[in-house]
Amino acid sequence: MNFTNISWTHFLAAGATLAVLTFAINLIDIPQVEAKANPQIFDLEAHRGGRDARPENTLVSFAYALELGVTTLEMDMQLTKDDQIVISHNPIMNANLTKGPDGNYVKAGQYDIRKMTLKEIKQFDVGTMNPNAGDYYESHGKTQLSVPGTKIPTLEEVFELANSYGNDKIYFNLETKSYADPADPNHANNADPEKFVKKFYEIVKKYHMEDRVFLQSFDWRTLKIMHNIDPTITLVALSSEQPSWGYVDGCYLKIGDKNASPWLAGLNINDYHGDYVKAAKAIGADVVSPYWEELSPQLVSEAHELGMKVVPWTVNSPKSMNMLIDMGVDGIISDKPWILRDLLIKRDISVAEPTINSNSPYHIGTNIIDVETKKLSKGGDSAE
């Protein structure tokens, strides 16, 4: 999907204006509890495991990221018909990525994961991007290593993978893919937010990952529910101001609209003068995660003053990475984690050590992708 570039200087000016405004903000009274998951180094997050390197949101991509040396594995969750949490960005199987049991790519809109059992889902292959996928393939497929036979994993399998690598330092940034707006085409089969969060927390406790998970979402209802269940779980408020994106990836903040956005858990962004940082603080978020072009140095400083970290999505070009690091962000989510890692090292910023498990069935030498992607090291930014 192509997006119109928005100059970050526009947001710099807006942030400067915001900084001099004085207004009363009635924040929801949420007890301040220290979040458990709190990386002490720059948070290098592999978006969907690093989708420009390996099939996205799979054990293959997460193994790649572990062996590369990232701080956090970023991924998306869906709740199945039989109440299993699987890792998939799209609620309906992506025709650009998914082959059916017959070996052919599925048709768009054909299979809704939320209406399928885990056994049914495991019959599909997400290991090879469709070379006829147009812009999607041009943006992400040219550097992605095909791994035929790759299946959609469960959240439990992701935790077990990390344990099999002996990595007790890796963090997990896990998004509840929940569709709050009734006008959203994906809303019809949306999982009950409370049921979704409770199932997530059940698995987190089972694997004792409370101090290593972030729960992120555009649907801030799930963040409030999680806070009520366990206020020590780190919460990440995703946001987007991009109305042209439709309901594919964006969270409508509805700045200037009379009615509150259904995504913001009952908050009206206009009560915060359009300031998503203060709104995120009001629902108890520990991290604000906006689309990267919607950041300014002032907004980063504001978040830090409120005790929140800033980790923008999804940043793929070295120029943009350097600009955001200079702004003072605490981490970056990227489809190209190998580029971000190399940049951090060159800037003398600490990075996580690689974890190698040559006995893992998902181990594929990291040097393969390094060779393949040198020619595209100047790749651009993309959507979440």
Side-chain angles (χ1 to χ4, degrees), residues 115-281:
K115 298 176 69 176
M116 301 170 66
T117 65
L118 179 60
K119 182 178 180 180
E120 291 170 336
I121 292 166
K122 287 292 187 178
Q123 297 178 46
F124 292 79
D125 182 344
V126 292
T128 304
M129 188 181 294
N130 189 343
N132 298 316
D135 288 345
Y136 198 90
Y137 182 83
E138 290 298 314
S139 297
H140 308 292
K142 287 186 174 181
T143 55
Q144 187 185 102
L145 185 69
S146 174
V147 187
T150 300
K151 305 300 182 181
I152 294 174
T154 65
L155 177 57
E156 294 197 42
E157 288 172 331
V158 173
F159 288 157
E160 288 169 0
L161 176 75
N163 287 342
S164 75
Y165 269 74
N167 190 326
D168 60 359
K169 300 292 191 299
I170 194 75
Y171 291 92
F172 307 87
N173 192 7
L174 301 146
E175 180 180 348
T176 50
K177 299 303 290 186
S178 181
Y179 309 92
D181 194 334
D184 186 332
N186 291 316
H187 178 79
N189 295 316
N190 195 45
D192 176 75
E194 187 165 356
K195 182 179 182 181
F196 198 166
V197 172
K198 286 183 176 179
K199 183 62 181 181
F200 160 78
Y201 189 53
E202 174 188 316
I203 297 170
V204 167
K205 288 193 299 180
K206 176 180 176 180
Y207 287 88
H208 308 291
M209 293 291 186
E210 293 93 332
D211 59 348
R212 292 165 60 191
V213 298
F214 316 129
L215 184 66
Q216 63 171 337
S217 194
F218 287 109
D219 184 352
W220 292 7
R221 295 177 303 172
T222 63
L223 303 183
K224 286 186 68 175
I225 292 166
M226 185 72 262
H227 189 89
N228 289 335
I229 295 172
D230 184 346
T232 70
I233 297 296
T234 303
L235 302 181
V236 182
L238 287 163
S239 68
S240 167
E241 298 177 14
Q242 308 302 306
S244 63
W245 294 3
Y247 289 102
V248 177
D249 285 305
C251 170
Y252 282 142
L253 295 177
K254 293 186 180 292
I255 296 173
D257 285 10
K258 180 179 179 180
N259 296 325
S261 169
W263 298 91
L264 304 187
L267 299 186
N268 190 320
I269 193 68
N270 300 299
D271 292 338
Y272 303 89
H273 292 235
D275 184 341
Y276 61 78
V277 173
K278 284 190 172 66
K281 180 67 175 180

Side-chain angles (χ1 to χ4, degrees), residues 264-331:
L264 304 187
L267 299 186
N268 190 320
I269 193 68
N270 300 299
D271 292 338
Y272 303 89
H273 292 235
D275 184 341
Y276 61 78
V277 173
K278 284 190 172 66
K281 180 67 175 180
I283 56 94
D286 305 288
V287 182
V288 62
S289 190
Y291 177 53
W292 72 272
E293 289 192 18
E294 296 169 4
L295 268 178
S296 70
Q298 282 73 18
L299 289 171
V300 174
S301 295
E302 178 189 357
H304 289 166
E305 289 169 2
L306 291 172
M308 302 167 69
K309 290 189 174 184
V310 181
V311 181
W313 57 270
T314 299
V315 191
N316 291 330
S317 76
K319 180 179 178 180
S320 301
M321 292 171 183
N322 276 313
M323 181 187 71
L324 291 162
I325 292 169
D326 290 341
M327 279 190 197
V329 298
D330 302 284

